[in-house]
Amino acid sequence: MPIVFPIVGAARYGDDYRDPRANAEHAGNDILTTWRSPAVAAEDGTVTFWTRSARAGCMLYLHGASGTTYLYVHLNNDLTPRRDNRGACVPGVAYADGLEDGAKVKAGQQIGYNGDSGDAEGTYHLHFEVHPNGGADVNPFPSLNAATRLLFPLPANPARKVALGLRGVPVSAGAGVLELSVTAVRVWPGGRWTAIAPRSVELAVPDGAQLDESAAAQLATLTPRAPASRAATRLTVITVPAPVSPEMMAGAPGALAVDRVRHG
Ligand SMILES: [Zn+2]
C-alpha cells in the first residue's frame, strides 16, 4: 500500500537522506512547501505530540496501523508570516485544529501545519522520517515517490458531500472525458484556493454539465488524447458534489465529474 504524501499542496523534496548535517546524518527527507500547508497522515494511525526537543521544535509522531512510525518535524510555530515564533506547539498553530494528543486519525486527515520550528528557523519545510516497525529510520524517498498525492485533505466530516474547484489548462477533451492539467484546488464548503504541483486529472463530463461559451469553444478544439493546443487557456471547473472517497481525494480518473466549467 502506498502511503499518502504527507503534504497537500505544491512541494519539492529530494533524496537528502544521510546527508551530513550539523549534529548528525540526516535521518529523513525535507519536504519544502509554503507556510501552513497542511501536513496530513501518511496512513491510518494514532498521533503523539512531542514538544520537548529544541532542535525538532513542534513535532508529531504518527504511529501507523501498519506498524510504521512517521515523524513530522518542524511544524508551525508562527502566528504571522513574519516568522515571529510566537505560536506554541498547540492545535491550530502546529497541529491540526482540534486535534488531540493520542487521537486516532485517518489517512489523508490533516494533522499539522507546515512551518519552521526548532532548528529549521527561516526555511519552511517538513522533516519527514519513516521508521518501519517503530525501529531505525529508513530512507523515505522511495515511499514519497510512490505516495498518493491528494488534491485536498480529508474533511472533518467525510460523510458530507463536497464539490471541488479545479483550475488548470485543458489537455484533452471528448468522449465524455475532460483532462485538465490542474494547478490549484479548492473544496466547498469551507475551503480556499490552494496551489498544487501541476498534475493531470481526468474528469467525467456528464451530459448535463454546464459550459460557458468560451470554455465550450475551447473544449471543442480539443480531441481525445490530443495534446493541448498552444492556445489553450485556463479554465475553472466545479465538480458535481459527491461524498468524499479515497479515489476522489487522489483525483483518480473518472472519480470526479464536471458540474460546470467557466473560462479563466
Ligand atoms: Zn530534515
Side-chain angles (χ1 to χ4, degrees), residues 171-238:
V171 177
S172 69
V177 176
L178 166 62
E179 183 183 357
L180 201 64
S181 177
V182 175
T183 52
V185 179
R186 118 160 244 188
V187 183
W188 281 279
R192 63 186 153 180
W193 287 102
T194 304
I196 63 167
R199 55 175 284 190
S200 169
V201 176
E202 287 181 32
L203 299 135
V205 186
D207 287 342
Q210 299 171 37
L211 281 60
D212 80 10
E213 266 182 42
S214 67
Q218 188 183 171
L219 293 184
T221 68
L222 299 169
T223 54
R225 304 283 141 235
S229 80
R230 289 191 180 280
T233 53
R234 198 177 73 175
L235 302 178
T236 298
V237 172
I238 312 298

Side-chain angles (χ1 to χ4, degrees), residues 21 26 29-30 74 125 127:
R21 294 290 165 97
H26 199 222
N29 290 156
D30 290 341
H74 306 314
H125 74 279
H127 171 97

Side-chain angles (χ1 to χ4, degrees), residues 74-202:
H74 306 314
L75 296 171
N76 179 48
N77 68 338
D78 296 323
L79 298 183
T80 68
R82 305 173 71 90
R83 297 193 158 105
D84 53 68
N85 296 328
R86 288 193 290 111
C89 300
V90 294
V93 179
Y95 308 117
D97 302 7
L99 186 69
E100 291 180 11
D101 193 7
K104 283 189 174 167
V105 296
K106 289 288 194 187
Q109 178 181 336
Q110 185 175 357
I111 53 179
Y113 288 98
N114 183 55
D116 68 350
S117 63
D119 63 6
E121 182 63 31
T123 306
Y124 295 128
H125 74 279
L126 177 70
H127 171 97
F128 183 69
E129 291 186 21
V130 175
H131 295 249
N133 302 310
D137 50 81
V138 299
N139 190 352
F141 195 63
S143 302
L144 291 175
N145 289 342
T148 303
R149 301 284 290 245
L150 300 186
L151 292 173
F152 61 100
L154 183 70
N157 179 359
R160 188 161 66 172
K161 287 184 178 180
V162 302
L164 295 192
L166 303 172
R167 272 193 189 136
V169 175
V171 177
S172 69
V177 176
L178 166 62
E179 183 183 357
L180 201 64
S181 177
V182 175
T183 52
V185 179
R186 118 160 244 188
V187 183
W188 281 279
R192 63 186 153 180
W193 287 102
T194 304
I196 63 167
R199 55 175 284 190
S200 169
V201 176
E202 287 181 32

Side-chain angles (χ1 to χ4, degrees), residues 15 17 23 34 58 63 84-85 136 138 147 202 214 218 234 240 249-250 257:
D15 188 0
Y17 182 72
N23 298 295
T34 52
C58 304
H63 303 288
D84 53 68
N85 296 328
V138 299
E202 287 181 32
S214 67
Q218 188 183 171
R234 198 177 73 175
V240 175
M249 291 171 67

